[in-house]
Structure formats: structure tokens, C-alpha cells
Amino acid sequence: MSSTQRKRSGARKAQKRGRKLTGAPRRKAAGPRRRRKPARRSASLALRYCADAGVFILTALVALAFATAWFARDLPSTDNLWRTNRNAEHVFLTMDGAPISRPGAGAPVRLAALPAHVPGAILAIEDRNFRHHVGVNPFAVGRAFLVNAAEGSVRQGGSTITQQLAKNLFLSSDRTVKRKVQELMLALWLERRFTKDEILTLYLNRVYFGAGAYGIDAASRRYFDKPAARLDIAEAAVLAGLLKAPSRYAPSHNPQIAGARARLAIDAMVETNVITRAQAQAALSAPVRLKGAQRMTAPYFVDFAQGEAARLAGAVDADLVIKTTLDPAMQTALEAGVRQGVARAHLPAETQVAAVIVSRDGAVKAMLGGRDYAASQFNRAVQARRQPGSAFKPFVYLSAFERGASPGDQVLDAPLTVAGWSPDNYESRFYGPVTLTEALARSLNAATVRVQERFGRNAVRVTARRMGVDAPLTKGPALALGVDAMSPLALAGAYAPFANGGFRISPHAVQAISTVDGQSVYKRSVVYEDAAASETAIEKTNAMLAAVAQWGTGKRAALNGVPVYGKTGTTQGNRDAWFAGHAGGFVCVVWIGRDDNAPMAPAGSTGATPVTGGTAPAIIWRLIMEGALETTNTPPSTLAPDAGITTVVAPLVPEDDPLHGFLARTQSERSQAARPQR
């Protein structure tokens, strides 16, 4: 036996010994395998796959049905859509019945009455496949999804003309999944209900072109002082280019950017055979003459009133007369005060200002949503939600007063830590033992948090809700320092009970709505909604708010001969600066900040003092109220709540909120304590 054979024999013996030691079974000799019939095995697999696919499809269909039902359950009514082939004319009146000037009002237009290049320009740049899709363009949606995913933000939209019309007619502009799904559903419905020409006609008469102009004819008159039927190719291209971003591409404010956008529209018109290359060259070489600037009366207010009127009128689609709460004299005083205050404070151009005046019953008397409406129609008085900072503190002390505290009680102003969080005072300065009045007048953060923690955050949240704060409120200790964002108008509404004796109100801009033939559509009847706080607690808080303006952080807001009750507010990094308060029965709130949420500082050299609530906002507030109170002859002493007011109790806290039970226990007591005095 060779050496190789001996090695193989030894390996076989070792393998046998290993099987004996481990108990491993001995491998049987290979024999003939029993083979399944191929046809039977294929049929079995096919049946199994079909069953699985059937279950999957059935589940998907059921899920789709439930999803469709859920998204469709609160779709807006389309019963009166047949009347939307014309724009209902809305005439806005001031509180005294005078018409409010609104440049840009236009007439309904028929598609056949427009030059072909007018709708052609819009389709070329907004929806080239309009004539071919079914209301939704899957390729555009997919392209937008890929671009937005790559950029990490919304950079491109995939909406068709039909989808845009569905949103304009029925839905809000909120960027939510639910709104987008409803938009798709309504777009498909519109395509089944109307022809392409009818859809395009509706769109041209309803789409927003900026500067308060709704519809192609209104935009043509606003920018070019001519009806839409007389628009030339270049003018049509300018208007088509506006639709992507009316504020950014407005020719009256950004002519260079608007011109570049119009050139893109003209190129698109050539590519889609709307015009020839020769026509394009002629349009590009001819100057576009814009209409001269025309002053609009309270444009931010009118936009707000228009939205409110649309909600109140509901399905009524007729020519309407809308009587608003606008006081032209107060509006003039507000705008003049902002201009003067901005100049005195040397605020840079990128710093925005919003201000609003509200009466004791919630009527919006004047409003400014930004420094230049032509540059930006974004209404910061209503739409911007920013942290109020220390302007929220009065609700903390009001809550304490409703639970037995007094302005003269003492609280320690010293460093503290709550749940791992340590609030700091302005410039890290602490005052030791102080009264509650001094704590609010000096806007001491540590002392205010101590007051909150003593009486409970739930109590503060309930008080804020009762006063009208509708923002989601944090459950953490930072609640006391105003970290929950709200709009200037919302804050003004929450301050109104300080001016009316303790009753919650709803800020509103519409008093009545009627048709042109006098038929009443809506008339406001509710004055106060519910008791917000006891009269005693309101008086105590007002006494402290007066100290803020007399010797505290709001000294620059003091008026000659008229008591001022207010509070400053400054957020972290000086990103927001506020002054909120009331005088003479009117609440005024001033907010200053930047749209990009960057810190603020006055224009000038490096190291300038940052803007705080006690500087520019307080100065602007004083200038506004000096002019506004001169316009009214109503003595402040007669501005107490009326006896026999109309009240409507509305739920403020959902039943699943821990505050619900606490609110129910205290509601009866508060309402009884806050009855108006004759």
C-alpha cells in the first residue's frame, strides 16, 4: 500500500470515529429520487401566487376605498360652481359706509374674447400638456418629487392648471398631504364636469396675479391700465410670468426679474407654436409700459376682510356689499406712526414691521402687514406666527391673581433650574426679592418662572386659553417666557380682555354682508364670547401693566394724559421685538422682525444696540396711538363693558386635553365673578 493510499484509509477511519463520538448519522448511499410531476408543482405554485395576489389586491382596494372616503368626507360643496363663470363683485365699505378704494378690480372675461396669445402664454409656461391630460400630470408630479427630494425642500411644483383651479376655488393653500389629495380628487371631478375651455376660462377669471388683482382682466388693468382683450404679446408674457410668484415677479416692484421671467414665457410660446420667432423678436424689442403707481387703501386689511367675508358668505355667489370695521382715520394714523418710528429707529430695509389696532369688542380698526405691500403681500399681522416672548407674561400673573396672589406679593428673582432648564434675565442681572409688580415691570424671567411654577403651568395655560390665546401651548417651564408662536392679531385679541373688563372676543373685520339689492347675508350679533377672567384679576394685572409703561421696560410707549397699559417682548437672539398694550379702550400690537428670522440691529456701525421690545416697537406704538386716539372723541371712562352683552360659550380645550377637566371646574366660578358691572 502506497503512502497516499494509507492516508486516505486513515482519513476514512477518522471520519467513522467522529460519527460515533458525535452521534452524526451515517450518510446513506445515494439512490433513485422520487420526482414530483412538473405540471402538478407548477399548478400549485400558480394557485398560491394567485391567492396571494388576490388578497393583496383586495386589501389594497379596501384601503384605497377607506382612504378615498376619509379624504372626501369634508370636501367643499360644489353645488354653486356653475355660477363661477363670472367673478362676483365685492364692494368693501369702511365702518362709516364709505367705499374702500381697490385698484385692479376687473370684469369677467370669456376665452373667445381674448387674443390667442393671452391664454397661450399662460399654458406655455404653466401647463403645456393642459389639452391632453386628465387633470393630473403624473410625469410632472414625478419630476417635481425627484427635484424636491434632491434639494431637500419644495423647489418645484407639479400642479396642472386644473389642480390650481381646484385649490383656488375650494381649498386653502396649506401644504399638507390631505389638501394635496383633495386637490387631485377635485381636479379629476372638474375634468369630468367641464370642458377644457370652460376650465381655462374659470382659471383665467380666478387666479391671483398679485397686488390685489384676481383674474386676468383685473391684472391687466392693474399693471397696464387696459382690459385683457387688448393685451399684446409682451404684456401677456409678463402676466403669465407672475403666476409662479406674484410678489417676486411683480413688474411694478422687480422690473428686471419680471422681464427675465417674461422672456422665458416668450421662449415657451415659440416652443409651443403660440407665436412665431419673428413675433417673439418684435415683442422682445418693444418696451412694456406699466401703469403708474396707485395708492391702495389698507391693502393688508382688505385682504384679511376678503378672506373673512368668503368664509361668512359661504356658498353665496353673488355681487356683495361688505361693511367692514376699518376706521380710515386710525388706519392713516397707524401707517404714519410706522413710517415715523421706522425712520427714528433707523431700521434697515430687511426689517419688517406689522401692527394692528383692535377695539375692545374685537373689531379690527387698522392693520399693516408689512412695510411695502407692492413688494410683499404676505400679511405678517395675520399670517406670521412668531414667539411673543415677555409679551406673554401678563397671562402668568393674571393666573396668579385669580388664585389669590396680589401685585405687592414678593417673589425671589435669582438663578433657578427647572427640569434641567435655567432661565436667564436680560444681561444676566438678578434683583433678589421683588414684588410681582416689579417682576413684570422689569420683565424678570427668573421671577416670572417662579410665579408660574408656584401656581402651576396648567393654570397658566387655562388662563391664556380663556383670554383667547389659540396657539398650541408648551407643557414645559419655558411656557412663562412666551415660546409659543402666534400672530400679532392673535396677541391683540388675547389682550382685548384687559381693555374690556375681562371678556374674550374674536378679532374680526366684517360687520355685515348683503347683496347689492339689500338682502342680508350676514350680520354680526355676538359682541363678547365668554367671560375670560374676573374683573378683580383684570384690574390687578392692568395696574402692573401701567407700571411697565410708567417706569419699566416700556417707558418709551407712555402717552401724555392717557394711561397706557402694555408689555414689551423680546425673543432669544433679538429675533422678535414686540409692544402690546391698550389705551383709551383700544388694543394695539406692534411686531418687528425679519422674515428670515435673523437677529436684528439698527442700521449703522458694528456694535449697535439690538432691537428690543422697549426700543423701536415701543416708540412706534406711542406714535401710532397718539394719532389714533386723536381721531376718536370717546372718553376712556365710558369704555367699560356694556350691561346685557351677548355671549356665546365656545369650547377652548379638547376633551382629551388634561386641561379640560380643570377648565370645567373653574368655568362656572369665573363666569359668575366676571359679570359686567353697571
Side-chain angles (χ1 to χ4, degrees), residues 358-362 467 492-503 505 528 538 542 545 565 581-588 636 638-641:
V358 176
S359 69
R360 61 195 176 101
D361 62 357
M467 294 289 283
Y495 266 61
F498 291 128
N500 66 29
F503 293 88
I505 56 88
Y528 301 107
I538 290 292
N542 274 331
L545 292 174
Y565 311 90
H582 68 93
F586 296 94
V587 178
C588 180
T638 65
L639 293 172

Side-chain angles (χ1 to χ4, degrees), residues 403-586:
R403 286 153 187 83
S406 296
D409 293 347
Q410 285 200 336
V411 61
L412 178 62
D413 181 53
L416 80 158
T417 300
V418 181
W421 173 70
S422 300
D424 194 10
N425 283 350
Y426 183 67
E427 295 182 342
S428 299
R429 183 177 180 182
F430 297 90
Y431 289 80
V434 296
T435 64
L436 299 189
T437 298
E438 184 176 359
L440 183 63
R442 296 190 185 277
S443 199
L444 304 179
N445 293 337
T448 304
V449 172
R450 275 193 169 88
V451 173
Q452 171 188 263
E453 295 304 298
R454 175 183 175 185
F455 292 95
R457 297 171 210 163
N458 271 359
V460 174
R461 293 170 67 218
V462 167
T463 297
R465 284 277 183 265
R466 296 285 302 176
M467 294 289 283
V469 175
D470 60 355
L473 296 174
T474 181
K475 297 181 180 180
L479 167 69
L481 304 187
V483 297
D484 300 299
M486 63 186 71
S487 69
L489 180 62
L491 186 61
Y495 266 61
F498 291 128
N500 66 29
F503 293 88
R504 188 173 72 251
I505 56 88
S506 288
H508 58 277
V510 175
Q511 291 182 332
I513 304 174
S514 63
T515 60
V516 291
D517 57 2
Q519 182 180 357
S520 178
V521 175
Y522 166 82
K523 185 175 183 180
R524 185 171 181 82
S525 59
V526 174
V527 180
Y528 301 107
E529 292 191 359
D530 194 10
S534 69
E535 185 177 4
T536 301
I538 290 292
E539 289 176 350
K540 291 179 179 179
T541 309
N542 274 331
M544 294 171 57
L545 292 174
V548 173
Q550 290 169 1
W551 54 269
T553 59
K555 290 182 293 184
R556 291 180 176 89
L559 297 170
N560 292 326
V562 179
V564 172
Y565 311 90
K567 184 67 188 76
T568 57
T570 309
T571 61
Q572 188 174 14
N574 300 95
R575 288 173 170 81
D576 302 276
W578 303 72
F579 191 88
H582 68 93
F586 296 94

Side-chain angles (χ1 to χ4, degrees), residues 345-351 573-575 592 594 598-612:
H346 303 289
L347 295 179
E350 63 271 15
T351 303
N574 300 95
R575 288 173 170 81
I592 298 179
R594 290 176 47 142
M600 295 179 294
S605 60
T606 304
T609 304
V611 178
T612 64

Side-chain angles (χ1 to χ4, degrees), residues 105-161:
V109 296
R110 294 180 296 108
L111 189 63
L114 295 174
H117 56 257
V118 173
I122 291 176
L123 293 181
I125 199 168
E126 285 290 314
D127 190 358
R128 295 190 182 189
N129 296 315
F130 172 73
R131 297 288 181 183
H132 308 291
H133 60 62
V134 295
V136 179
N137 188 339
F139 298 103
V141 173
R143 182 180 64 250
F145 175 79
L146 293 176
V147 171
N148 296 336
E151 294 289 339
S153 61
V154 179
R155 297 291 185 182
Q156 190 177 106
S159 296
T160 64
I161 290 289

